[in-house]
Amino acid sequence: MLAIEDVHVYYGAIHALQGISFQVNQGEIVTLIGSNGAGKSTALKTISGLLRPKQGKIRFNGEDLKGLPAQKIVARGISQVPEGRRIFANMTVMENLDMGAYLRRDKPEIKKDLERVFAIFPRLRERKGQEAGTLSGGEQQMLAMGRALMSKPQLMLLDEPSMGLSPLLVKQIFDIIKEINAQGTTILLVEQNARMALSVATRAYVLETGKITLGGMARELAASEDVRKAYLGG
Amino acid sequence: GTTGAAAGNAAGGTIKVGGDLELSGGQAMFGQEAQNGIKMAFDQINAKGGVLGGKKLTLDVADNKSDPGEATIAATKLVGDNVVAVIGPMTSSLVAAATPVVTDSKVPLITPSGTNAKLTMAAGGKVQPYIFRPCFIDPFQGQVGAKFAFDTLHAKTAAVIIDQKSDYAKGLADTFIANFTAAGGKIVDQEKYASGDKDFTTILTRIKGTNPDLIWLPGYYNDDGLIVKQARDLGMKMPFAGGDGWDDPSLFKIGTPEALNDTYYVDHVANDSPDMVQFVKDYKEKYGHEPNAMSALSYDSANMIINAIQTANSGDPAKITAELDKLTGFKGVTGEITIDPKTHNPQKKAVIKENKNGKGIYLTSVSPS
Amino acid sequence: MGHVLREGLQQVVNGLSMGSVYALIALGYTMVYGIVKLINFAHGDVMMIGAYVGWLATSRLHMSFVPALLLAMASCALLGVIIERIAYKPLRNATRVAALITAIGVSLFLEYGNMLVASAQVRSYPPVLPSVSYKVGGVYLQYGAIVIFGTTIILMILLTLTVQYTKIGKAMRAASFDKDAALMMGVNVNSTISATFAIGSALAAAAGVLYGAYYNTIDPLMGIIPGLKAFIAAVLGGIGIIPGAVVGGLVLGLTEAAVSALGASTWRDAVAFLILILVLILKPSGLFGKNVREKV
Amino acid sequence: MLLKLENLSKSFGGLKAVANLNIEIGQSELVGLIGPNGAGKTTVFNLLTGVYEASEGKMIFAGKDVGGLRPYQVTHRGIARTFQNIRLFGDLSVIDNVKIAFHQHDKYSALSAVLRLPSFFRGEEEMESKALALLEVFHLRGRAAEVAKNLPYGEQRRLEIARAMATEPRLLLLDEPAAGMNPQETRALMELIRWLRDNFQLTILLIEHDMSLVMGVCERIYVLDYGMIIASGTPEQIRIDPKVIEAYLGEEAI
Amino acid sequence: MKVLNRKNLAILLAVLVAYGGIQAAIAARLVPPFYSVNLMLICVYVILATSLNLINGVTGQFSIGHAGFMAIGAYLSAIVSVKLHGPLGAAILAGAIVSAGVGFLVGLPTLRLKGDYLAITTLGVGQIVQVVFFNTNYVGGAAGFTVPRTVNWTWAFWLTVISIVIIHNFTNSTHGRACISVRENEIAAEAMGINSTKYKVMAFSLGSFFGGIAGGLYANYMYLIQPTTFSFLTSFNILVMVVLGGLGSMTGSIVGAVVMTVLSAYLSNFPEWRMVVTALLLIVMMLFRPSGLLGTKEFNLGFLGKKGESRAA
Ligand SMILES: Nc1ncnc2c1ncn2[C@@H]1O[C@H](COP(=O)(O)OP(=O)(O)OP(=O)(O)O)[C@@H](O)[C@H]1O
Ligand SMILES: Nc1ncnc2c1ncn2[C@@H]1O[C@H](COP(=O)(O)OP(=O)(O)OP(=O)(O)O)[C@@H](O)[C@H]1O
Ligand SMILES: [Mg+2]
Ligand SMILES: [Mg+2]
């Protein structure tokens, strides 16, 4: 479904991604793990068109995404829950969710999805009219997830969805990720919380300073000695 | 070494005259009209072979941005360029700012339209030796206006509207008030605005409450037109009168001809006077629009300098100054100019015009008493 | 007594007419600010260009009022988009002051560029708005003022509805807050911002044509003072808030009228600013502004 | 008691973010404040540090009421904090970040700075050496000249704590210091927190969602939900408290 | 002694050479008047730009009404020298002190405002000052206030040097760092124990003080001052210098002031095109160097000193 081939990305002189290749198949949950500054967020931003690769190919359903502006990539069915949530702080919770469905025109379906989001995050229903900027950190994370769900993506990119969430919510979020996936959305997940990520993922890749050093079935990686030492804290 | 350098200048093929003009900023219109007038005078003399046996006159312009500080800088630049004389600035306060510079450098300056009485007078009642003008001064205008309002229009009460940013308007207002009250009239209200304002309804409403026989409005035409129109829209039917600032063809486009009926103003010259006809025609031909008083006075200023150079037979600023000092019977398009050596003001007649159906019609002329 | 009352009422009407002119200009100002967070100092000058286009259309091309107005709005919309593309877009990620300086540059360029093209001469508008005034209970009411007031209110309502409830409006607000996040929602940020400038500049042009027609005269520097006043009006109401701009404009107009009515016309601008400052000290984000504190 | 919150409340419009909160913390204690997202934890910090004004209640620190003080005055009283979203002086160097926090302990006036009197040079020298010493402690000395925003995330978090320490506080408030850190970094942070407390006789109150950290270092924990305390006690007690499990930890708690 | 290290000695030498050279040239009548006016203007604008930089660049308070403080300094110094017959030094100082006082009074309530709200307020203060002078007949009202020229190159040069040194020394101290921290993040600065109000007001008053000094120099050199000289366009002009040089960089402000003054002098030969060219240059400059000529960096003479001694602030 998504194929990344030898992608290089620079921030000015910083060579943030040094030729990474990986793929995500239809229906999978794939996770990218790696330490701070490895380039995980950079990879996601490149896929969603916010950054331009200097070299390399990104294919989605066989189509080359190169040169497509970000808004067109969303229209192809890729949506992102960005690191740091990036909700629209000056808009209400409801308006944020509306923005998620910006490109959609199927009103009844949108309504259904809204109900689904509210069912997953009842707190958002309570705070429908509140300005998003005044939500607590966790509430904002829920909103960011909800907003991405509203675009009904084929492929959802999640950048550290569990950051700053209570343990209960972390668990819920991962349940939700599984659920969304079960409902047919393919997921590319970036996580600091590697243990959780590996537990829900089908396959995983390890990113180290801009290069992919390992890749394989999530279960296998979780069992690997190196990965445990470096990313699982034991 | 201004003098020496100027002589060197004269030895070349050209003689440089400076223009310290309002080419940008709030009064940019004045400077541009003046520049046109001066250039026309120079082009005409140059076409006739120039002065001093073939030397061409050139205008060295410096933009004073309608700002007094910049007027000082512009004057400094011009005297640094060794001009033999300076024309401009056009507005009184800027002339005051340029005066010390030209005085220090002993270069004569003619302000075409700086009408403030104090410009040519130094402290202690002495004349400013290097400042000249071809126009009459504010007290004279105010006096003529007051007499006309009282005697001819039979106004017993008057209100005055003053542009607070304009020294000129203030001068005209002061002398009007003095002369009008001395004649037995009464000033019932004084209101102020700032040039550039577009809405005058609030001050007009106040004046309306005092119901004067006449409104003395010594501003510039673009404000005058608007004020009169807005007054008429508020149902105010009394006559208006003002000074030479009214003189511009676009007055009637800004205010409607109908609104401007029953308004009067003091002016330097009637556009249909025999002296002006040729100038108006030439000017229209050259620049595509009618001249106003600024263009005409600047044209005269330029010719005063040409005349002084020719009679002095020299491009030396000191000699030009001396010639200007004793200028008599100079035939300008705005009238005959004789400089009073004690005041450096010309003895000139004023005319009064009435606006009638979109034209300023000559009514009468008044000689200085 | 009746006389004083009538004069007072007349001054209120005068103030409201002046105020609605400020409000009309402030609408576009505040809208662009609300979305792009740029003090578009060139707004007053776009208004001036609009006035000139309207003048050309009516006096030279002999068009009638409404077509001339539409032409002016269309050309200024285009001008606004061009200005944004050339001068503001490259600075989206630069500091706010850099954009402000560019806006000043654009403002000077429009003023003096037009002075080169059209000369500094004051032009007068052909009488496209009937110069009629109605007398109601001794108080005079200008036809033009009524038109401007009405236009302002209608545009205010339309704009508010657009920004609050339409898709493009939401996209505008989203892009205003976080461009990248808006992109991730599928918003075409560039065209959204262009649309913002197009609408803002078209509004400026409408204001310019009405201003020219109402006050009869236009010149290349005519936009400076109204631009400044509109800025005050917008801030007074809470910058970025559309109804706030209108209320701010009207309050400003009434204040100026009151100051003049009391015979202190030369203190008008100072009092206007003083009131603005006092309001801001009491309500730091303007009359309608929410006092948003940064959440820590 | 070093810190005593009595009946502290804060409402935003209709929402009661903190409701009748009572908390006591003794000298040199290391206390955790946990609770679901939106429970009001950060709000408590904001109230304590004068960012928000309490709707009701009292805050007694070292025997004195700190209610109604401006943030800088609270800092002068000896309370320092870090922020949930890092707020470094991003464009300044690492050492300048720390020096700024030393400001209140400065001994020279603006006049002696302008005239470059000897007291200026003495003051600057002292500050420089104090700042470097502090950076040394936080393993940031090698980064002293770097621009703060260019540091990796983990080091930025550490710098934020170093900067807070430079104000020489008696009470340190840490808002989610481990957020965005991987397990290793979190473990190092734990060590650091303990070490700080022991070395500076510091009292620490920390908010954190990473239970390994909270359970690992805190001696006592308060659990907040809907602005109210639903439980308090040792980590062991909290871990098995059914109310906490239901509201916060979830069934399969660690 | 630290004050007399190699770097500072070199700077001192350069300053003395600059002063002596120009003074000698003026004495020998080698400097055409137009040039000497512009040299004076450069001094005036350097003081204005560096002092505005202290407010806008260093402390991050968006002030766009600096001409108002220049006006206060100009008028007050003119009153002292013309009406009270005070000596020039006293006149300039009095102007500066009153300007700082007004800055303090205005700053106290208004500096709570943020960003654009503060901007319009400072603009308003500038306008109010202008209106007050317009309406005060004691200082000539609209007609202006005539002041004899008593300022010469020596006055202008040394006042500029002193202003620069004071602003530099203030900025490069713990007090300056406190101002910078307010600019960087006010909430964090407060949390670090910095009284942000105090430092904002301090920077604002100090900036106004030097704005007043510049006004005093201007008034006592230019023969005539008028309220219109100190319009918001003048304020913008100063702001442009600061931003052009690089907001936050003092050397940048100096460069900006020199460049803009020289440019304006040069362009006065092309009056019709002057403003259009200035406008285009502004736009192009900002497009290619949005953070100004020097960014926030200082042009540094560090290579003259020992290593490490002159770390950039
Ligand atoms: N806007 C930027 N400008 C310059 N460098 C950047 C920028 N954003 C990221 N980098 C650098 O690129 C590298 C990769 O960053 P990235 O944010 O992708 O890491 P990450 O793996 O997501 O880390 P984290 O776990 O901290 O989120 C890092 O060295 C970072 O410092
Ligand atoms: N300035 C504000 N205006 C309105 N509501 C606010 C404001 N600040 C906080 N709140 C609300 O108060 C509640 C508590 O917020 P707070 O930030 O204290 O939560 P928290 O416990 O720190 O949560 P998290 O763990 O997610 O950071 C939340 O519901 C939040 O939406
Ligand atoms: Mg990341
Ligand atoms: Mg929190």
Side-chain angles (χ1 to χ4, degrees), chain D residues 51 70-73 75-76 79-81 83 87-93 95-97 99-101 103-104 106 108-110 113-116 120-122 124-125 127-128 145 163-164 167, chain E residues 1-3 8 165-178 180-199 202 206 296 308 311-313:
Chain D
V51 175
R70 294 258 313 270
Y72 78 93
Q73 291 168 320
T75 310
H76 288 196
I79 302 179
R81 76 176 288 182
F83 295 90
R87 281 176 182 272
L88 287 169
F89 305 122
D91 289 323
L92 304 188
S93 68
I95 191 163
D96 277 350
N97 265 277
K99 279 185 181 175
I100 285 165
H103 175 79
Q104 54 169 315
D106 245 17
Y108 68 89
S109 66
V114 164
L115 299 178
R116 293 279 128 125
F120 163 81
F121 291 102
R122 249 183 284 124
E124 282 290 304
E125 227 157 63
M127 206 176 328
E128 175 105 10
R163 194 181 61 171
T167 67
Chain E
M1 272 308 286
K2 290 179 200 93
V3 198
N8 286 353
V165 168
I166 291 179
I167 293 173
H168 170 268
N169 286 358
F170 177 82
T171 311
N172 291 287
S173 77
T174 187
H175 302 281
R177 277 196 300 270
I180 293 172
S181 74
V182 171
R183 169 191 80 194
E184 287 288 306
N185 191 326
E186 195 173 335
I187 291 173
E190 284 261 333
M192 292 308 114
I194 282 155
N195 183 348
S196 59
T197 312
K198 174 178 147 191
Y199 279 101
M202 199 191 259
L206 205 59
T296 50
R311 206 176 41 76

Side-chain angles (χ1 to χ4, degrees), chain B:
Chain B
T2 319
T3 326
N9 178 2
T14 58
I15 291 182
K16 247 195 269 178
V17 175
D20 185 340
L21 296 173
E22 290 82 342
L23 294 172
S24 60
Q27 271 83 47
M29 255 312 283
F30 299 169
Q32 296 184 357
E33 287 295 312
Q35 193 176 6
N36 289 346
I38 300 166
K39 282 207 170 130
M40 199 167 111
F42 286 180
D43 287 353
Q44 286 173 352
I45 188 78
N46 289 341
K48 281 191 221 148
V51 290
L52 305 180
K55 296 203 173 74
K56 306 268 187 235
L57 280 165
T58 59
L59 179 66
D60 182 1
V61 276
D63 179 13
N64 61 37
K65 311 172 195 173
S66 308
D67 175 283
E70 297 287 343
T72 307
I73 297 168
T76 312
K77 177 177 183 302
L78 295 174
V79 299
D81 286 353
N82 295 319
V83 297
V84 300
V86 174
I87 303 178
M90 306 299 286
T91 44
S92 294
S93 43
L94 271 63
V95 176
T99 298
V101 177
V102 293
T103 307
D104 286 353
S105 311
K106 301 189 174 27
V107 173
L109 178 150
I110 304 185
T111 168
S113 59
T115 44
N116 188 293
K118 284 181 281 188
L119 292 183
T120 51
M121 303 310 288
K126 277 197 298 202
V127 70
Q128 284 281 10
Y130 295 95
I131 311 299
F132 303 89
R133 58 181 145 204
C135 49
F136 49 60
I137 57 172
D138 296 341
F140 178 57
Q141 281 200 70
Q143 183 193 329
V144 171
K147 200 162 146 37
F148 175 76
F150 195 83
D151 294 348
T152 314
L153 297 176
H154 308 294
K156 297 285 166 281
T157 57
V160 181
I161 303 181
I162 309 164
D163 171 4
Q164 70 146 341
K165 286 196 175 167
S166 154
D167 226 12
Y168 156 80
K170 240 170 125 186
L172 253 68
D174 289 347
T175 45
F176 175 86
I177 293 168
N179 284 288
F180 190 72
T181 37
K186 192 167 168 243
I187 303 296
V188 290
D189 192 13
Q190 286 189 47
E191 295 292 337
K192 289 183 176 163
Y193 68 94
S195 59
D197 285 357
K198 295 276 147 111
D199 200 311
F200 306 94
T201 50
T202 52
I203 54 173
L204 289 169
T205 301
R206 270 174 65 85
I207 292 178
K208 196 182 171 200
T210 64
N211 198 24
D213 296 339
L214 170 130
I215 295 176
W216 176 246
L217 172 59
Y220 292 111
Y221 61 93
N222 35 0
D223 296 336
D224 300 336
L226 275 179
I227 291 173
V228 173
K229 181 170 173 294
Q230 290 178 16
R232 301 295 189 231
D233 284 342
L234 284 169
M236 298 165 74
K237 301 202 172 72
M238 64 285 278
F240 281 73
D244 58 332
W246 284 60
D247 177 32
D248 193 278
S250 43
L251 177 73
F252 300 102
K253 292 190 196 148
I254 294 164
T256 57
E258 195 188 322
L260 283 158
N261 280 341
D262 204 14
T263 61
Y264 309 85
Y265 62 97
V266 182
D267 206 356
H268 300 272
V269 66
N271 248 14
D272 45 4
S273 91
D275 298 336
M276 280 289 278
V277 174
Q278 186 60 37
F279 169 71
V280 172
K281 187 170 157 274
D282 291 347
Y283 190 95
K284 254 184 110 165
E285 207 162 88
K286 195 167 163 101
Y287 300 110
H289 62 270
E290 286 223 352
N292 62 11
M294 301 291 165
S295 355
L297 288 166
S298 305
Y299 179 76
D300 278 355
S301 304
N303 279 320
M304 281 163 72
I305 288 170
I306 293 170
N307 173 289
I309 292 172
Q310 283 171 334
T311 38
N313 198 19
S314 156
D316 178 9
K319 292 192 180 138
I320 296 173
T321 309
E323 286 305 325
L324 286 172
D325 202 53
K326 55 185 190 227
L327 188 74
T328 37
F330 170 80
K331 292 248 186 302
V333 294
T334 62
E336 196 176 287
I337 296 168
T338 294
I339 297 284
D340 177 350
K342 283 204 278 304
T343 62
H344 281 188
N345 294 327
Q347 301 288 310
K348 275 175 91 179
K349 277 189 204 164
V351 300
I352 290 177
K353 292 181 184 168
E354 176 183 3
N355 291 316
K356 226 179 198 160
N357 302 327
K359 265 208 141 61
I361 309 288
Y362 171 83
L363 267 190
T364 167
S365 68
V366 185
S367 295
S369 48

